[in-house]
Amino acid sequence: MDASAASADAAAAVTRTHCPYCALQCGMELRTDASDGARLQAGGWDAFPVNKGALCQKGATSTELLDVASRLTSPLIRRTSGSELETATWDEALDFAASRISAIAAAHGREAVGIFGGGGLTHEKAYSLGKFARVVLRTPHIDYNGRFCMSAAAAASQRAFGVDRGLPFPLADVARTDVILLVGSNLADTMPPALRYFTAQRENGGRLIVVDPRRTRTAEQADLHLQPVPGTDAALAAGLLHVLIAEHLVDEEFVAARTSGFEEVRAEALRWWPERVEAVCGVPAGDVRAAARVFAGAENGMVLTARGTEQQADGADAVNAWINLALAAGKAGRPYCGYGAITGQGNGQGGREHGQKADQLPGYRKITDPAAREHVAGVWGVSPEALPGPGRPAMELLASCGADIRALLVAGSNPVVSAPDASFVASRLEALEFLAVCDVVLSETALLADVVFPVTQWAEETGTMTNLEGRVLLRRRAVTPPAGVRSDLDVLGGLAERLGVPGFLTSPAAVFAELARASAGGVADYSGLSHERLDAAAEGDGLHWPCPAPDHPGTPRLFLDSFGTPDGRARFVAVGHEPAVEEPCGEFPYRLTTGRVLAQYQSGAQTRRVRSLNAAEPGAYVQLHPDLAAAVGAAEGDPVRVTSRRGSAVAPARISELIRSDTVFMPFHWAGPGRANSVTRRTTDPVSGMPAFKTAAVRVEVER
């Protein structure tokens, strides 16, 4: 047990830690309530600067996840093909997994084994998965569900700024900017404690423009709401930029001094006059002009994007189109200005910084860079030549299961529910010769596994996370895990020893210390951080990366002096708009878009086990405009079947004027008949590998 874990167990009064859900990583205090049978209770941590004591209903009920009754507490093995999962000892499970992996690698080569990780894993786990893949398995094939979350924004930021950090400024800066262009985000449902900053911004005289096909609770607060056809974001952004050019609102001084590539972007934007944008996007030309004038006319401003604009077949280009607008308006590289991506998963940022992504090594290093390979190989004690090259991004990895990939280890993810074209993904997992899953509960993916390892979760372990601002945090252990449960680090250590690589680190503090050395000199440099330093940080605030030395204060704001490109200039990226690969047609006349709801989270593997959350939002639904509902003969609550070329989902109708009449919406948190991802597309953005969750051509029918 490390020092912080021992301290928490000894004190047993209050443990300051962080929420197990989204990328806000809200500070919370866990304490035992003697009046409630010594049950652990979660409360807000008032001094933590991100949420300042506020918790959403998911965070407030998060200790219910620790209930042993809903947990896996023993390993499970499927001893023969087609048999049921049976309880096993840890040695049996580890021996069985190692023997199957070894046999498959011997028969088909090391590249026949892959790993699929998760954006909710701590840095220690994400880093260890990457090291395990490349040093123990010696396979290039590792990726994670972060591809489904923020990969398009990451790729766009790399192209524009040379650095990808969700928000390159503290979240608190949002309250002090003059205008916010919020694209494809419903913070009121996905990150309620963050909404206070947007409310404060408006109370301070600021303006809020929201871009979303639905009039969500967030859009209700906007000064101007633009409702584009799903998948047309790049055209809408180009239209706003057109107005800046045509009305001489471009900050020519900033463009000349701190950017490159504007002339090519200018030429493309001139093709997107507002009336053409209206014809393509469905946003009135007058609203396009109004939004552009408000954004350009403010002294300070931000463009913030989320999954609505990123989860498209042109997701990276769409984000670069929004970044182009921010750069042309001169709203970057100075206080209270800039572009930022609102990360979704708890460690979506850190999960890709340190080696869980197919093409990256720790410190945000490119796996194809000889110097990066040499540095990391030196930390790992192997030769650079022994490190494999880039692997396949998430959807390619999952699609190759049962063919090139014969064995897969899944940790911290439930792709049978969360992946697009989920029936196809399930069929690929079923075709594997061997599937191992590390999970807290028997998820839909774990039900398909040959071995299931029961692992610790957030309050039962110490580890580090990076929130949406690039703030690195220590999440402290508060309780002892149930008997029979081990950490993912212990699972990897046990497998590594059986696969001939003993001494694999399993102490979170020791793993982080090695991660810090491996990241030294990289873009995401954590070398000045340690568990001890994060534990001692004032009020537990954490420290922003890069933090390259033990006495470095961290870097809350990037790009104030220069951008992360070789010449220090931000790059405009010339992008266009192409119609979606799958446009509505006679057979499938409507568009489906998907998203989250307030009371559930991601694949629901956690939240669907919390009683009060299920009471608030018990199941899937189909949101329909009254005109669309009338066209298909649907009344409120009727079972509605939504069908695409891939499959269908059935859920009750919710009729609302808050959505476009040509679009239907489904939340994606549920398995079974209401699984929205039975309908979605696995088409991916060629730049980032992001699937096109937000656009699918569908027909809608009342289920008789």
Side-chain angles (χ1 to χ4, degrees):
M1 183 185 299
D2 59 37
S4 59
S7 174
D9 282 348
V14 175
T15 301
R16 287 178 170 170
T17 189
H18 297 275
C19 181
Y21 293 115
C22 79
L24 280 181
Q25 284 299 287
C26 290
M28 58 169 52
E29 295 184 339
L30 301 182
R31 54 174 53 83
T32 300
D33 186 349
S35 66
D36 190 18
R39 187 180 184 88
L40 196 67
Q41 301 286 346
W45 176 1
D46 293 341
F48 186 66
V50 176
N51 61 309
K52 299 179 181 178
L55 294 176
C56 74
Q57 63 192 105
K58 292 187 292 291
T61 59
S62 57
T63 56
E64 290 191 36
L65 301 173
L66 305 170
D67 186 355
V68 175
S70 63
R71 298 285 300 282
L72 291 172
T73 56
S74 297
L76 302 174
I77 290 181
R78 198 180 309 276
R79 299 182 187 276
T80 59
S81 179
S83 66
E84 297 296 317
L85 288 167
E86 301 176 15
T87 301
T89 68
W90 271 97
D91 282 340
E92 285 178 310
L94 290 167
D95 289 345
F96 180 62
S99 66
R100 296 296 297 128
I101 291 169
S102 295
I104 290 168
H108 303 288
R110 292 183 178 274
E111 293 193 6
V113 183
I115 294 177
F116 192 81
L121 299 175
T122 63
H123 293 117
E124 293 79 4
K125 296 178 183 181
Y127 169 85
S128 295
L129 280 176
K131 181 182 177 183
F132 183 83
R134 288 149 182 147
V135 174
V136 179
L137 299 179
R138 294 177 63 185
T139 179
H141 296 311
I142 176 171
D143 212 75
Y144 79 128
N145 63 16
R147 287 279 181 185
F148 305 162
C149 175
M150 217 183 114
S151 60
S157 294
Q158 288 277 11
R159 292 197 294 191
F161 306 122
V163 175
D164 156 37
R165 197 180 86 184
L167 297 183
F169 41 74
L171 185 60
D173 283 6
V174 166
R176 302 178 66 179
T177 196
D178 297 318
V179 61
I180 300 168
L181 186 57
L182 182 65
V183 188
S185 174
N186 180 18
L187 285 164
D189 280 3
T190 60
M191 291 182 173
L195 203 61
R196 64 170 57 196
Y197 295 103
F198 293 79
T199 302
Q201 184 255 359
R202 295 194 65 215
E203 290 173 348
N204 292 336
R207 306 287 294 279
L208 174 63
I209 304 168
V210 170
V211 179
D212 197 312
R214 299 191 301 140
R215 191 162 183 79
T216 64
R217 292 199 303 135
T218 305
E220 290 281 1
Q221 300 188 29
D223 297 284
L224 181 59
H225 176 208
L226 310 181
Q227 287 186 270
V229 171
T232 62
D233 295 75
L236 178 57
L240 269 68
L241 180 54
H242 177 103
V243 176
L244 265 63
I245 296 168
E247 299 188 4
H248 307 290
L249 299 174
V250 172
D251 188 335
E252 301 285 359
E253 182 178 349
F254 175 85
V255 168
R258 299 201 60 185
T259 73
S260 63
F262 181 53
E263 289 311 309
E264 189 177 356
V265 168
R266 186 195 299 266
E268 173 63 24
L270 287 174
R271 300 174 56 241
W272 289 96
W273 57 94
E275 286 73 18
R276 184 186 180 198
V277 171
E278 179 174 352
V280 171
C281 303
V283 176
D287 287 350
V288 174
R289 290 188 171 92
R293 291 165 183 163
V294 168
F295 186 71
E299 175 67 21
N300 300 312
M302 295 176 178
V303 174
L304 305 176
T305 68
R307 308 304 82 73
T309 196
E310 297 161 15
Q311 288 180 329
Q312 309 281 2
D314 65 346
D317 284 358
V319 174
N320 275 120
W322 293 113
I323 293 174
N324 289 341
L325 178 68
L327 294 176
K331 291 176 172 53
R334 56 191 177 89
Y336 316 124
C337 287
Y339 163 75
I342 300 174
T343 310
Q345 294 189 83
N347 202 25
Q349 178 78 52
R352 67 182 177 277
E353 291 170 1
H354 298 299
Q356 192 181 198
K357 193 163 171 274
D359 58 351
Q360 289 181 189
L361 291 170
Y364 230 126
R365 289 182 160 91
K366 290 288 186 184
I367 200 167
T368 53
D369 178 1
R373 294 170 64 85
E374 182 176 3
H375 172 81
V376 175
V379 174
W380 287 348
V382 300
S383 69
E385 295 75 21
L387 296 179
R392 296 174 181 174
M395 278 313 301
E396 289 184 28
L397 176 62
L398 293 172
S400 63
C401 287
D404 297 339
I405 303 295
R406 306 294 185 98
L408 186 70
L409 171 64
V410 176
S413 187
N414 187 18
V416 168
V417 177
S418 64
D421 198 358
S423 297
F424 168 80
V425 169
S427 74
R428 293 299 81 215
L429 296 182
E430 289 170 339
L432 287 163
E433 294 180 27
F434 177 72
L435 173 63
V437 172
C438 297
D439 211 331
V440 174
V441 297
L442 196 61
S443 69
E444 288 76 13
T445 302
L447 283 168
L448 303 180
D450 299 290
V451 174
V452 183
F453 296 111
V455 292
T456 51
Q457 58 172 314
W458 64 293
E460 299 164 353
E461 59 190 9
T462 293
T464 54
M465 309 283 279
T466 295
N467 81 341
L468 77 170
E469 318 159 292
R471 189 190 299 263
V472 187
L473 305 163
L474 184 67
R475 200 162 67 179
R476 299 169 177 86
R477 173 174 164 170
V479 296
T480 301
V485 171
R486 298 184 183 180
S487 166
D488 301 73
L489 298 180
D490 292 320
V491 173
L492 295 178
L495 290 174
E497 183 173 6
R498 288 163 173 80
L499 293 169
V501 184
F504 204 81
L505 295 176
T506 59
S507 160
V511 172
F512 189 85
E514 185 178 278
L515 176 159
R517 296 197 304 275
S519 75
V523 173
D525 191 333
Y526 282 36
S527 59
L529 301 175
S530 65
H531 277 208
E532 292 74 18
R533 188 176 181 199
L534 292 171
D535 194 33
E539 297 293 347
D541 286 6
L543 293 159
H544 297 78
W545 70 260
C547 186
D551 59 351
H552 191 281
T555 313
R557 295 176 182 84
L558 300 175
F559 311 143
L560 296 182
D561 299 317
S562 67
F563 295 96
T565 57
D567 62 3
R569 290 172 172 261
R571 304 186 191 101
F572 282 91
V573 178
V575 296
H577 166 73
E578 298 293 336
V581 174
E582 187 173 273
E583 285 287 307
C585 62
E587 185 179 3
F588 302 103
Y590 305 111
R591 288 179 169 87
L592 169 73
T593 191
T594 65
R596 285 172 48 191
V597 296
L598 176 62
Q600 301 288 348
Y601 182 73
Q602 303 299 79
S603 76
Q606 296 165 290
T607 50
R608 284 187 277 124
R609 288 169 168 81
V610 177
R611 292 182 298 275
S612 60
L613 299 181
N614 279 334
E617 199 67 81
Y621 61 86
V622 181
Q623 186 182 44
L624 308 167
H625 188 276
D627 292 347
L628 196 158
V632 300
E636 182 75 16
D638 280 351
V640 171
R641 180 175 294 274
V642 179
T643 303
S644 72
R645 292 174 175 86
R646 291 150 300 279
S648 62
V650 179
R654 288 193 188 176
I655 300 175
S656 170
E657 294 184 347
L658 304 180
I659 188 169
R660 292 180 56 92
S661 60
D662 56 4
T663 300
V664 298
F665 168 82
M666 289 189 72
F668 65 85
H669 309 290
W670 287 273
R675 184 176 63 180
N677 279 320
S678 296
V679 186
T680 52
R681 293 192 290 149
R682 66 177 187 272
T683 306
T684 56
D685 170 26
V687 178
S688 66
M690 170 72 85
F693 286 99
K694 291 295 189 281
T695 54
V698 299
R699 66 173 177 264
V700 180
E701 304 159 298
V702 177
E703 188 82 341
R704 302 299 180 187

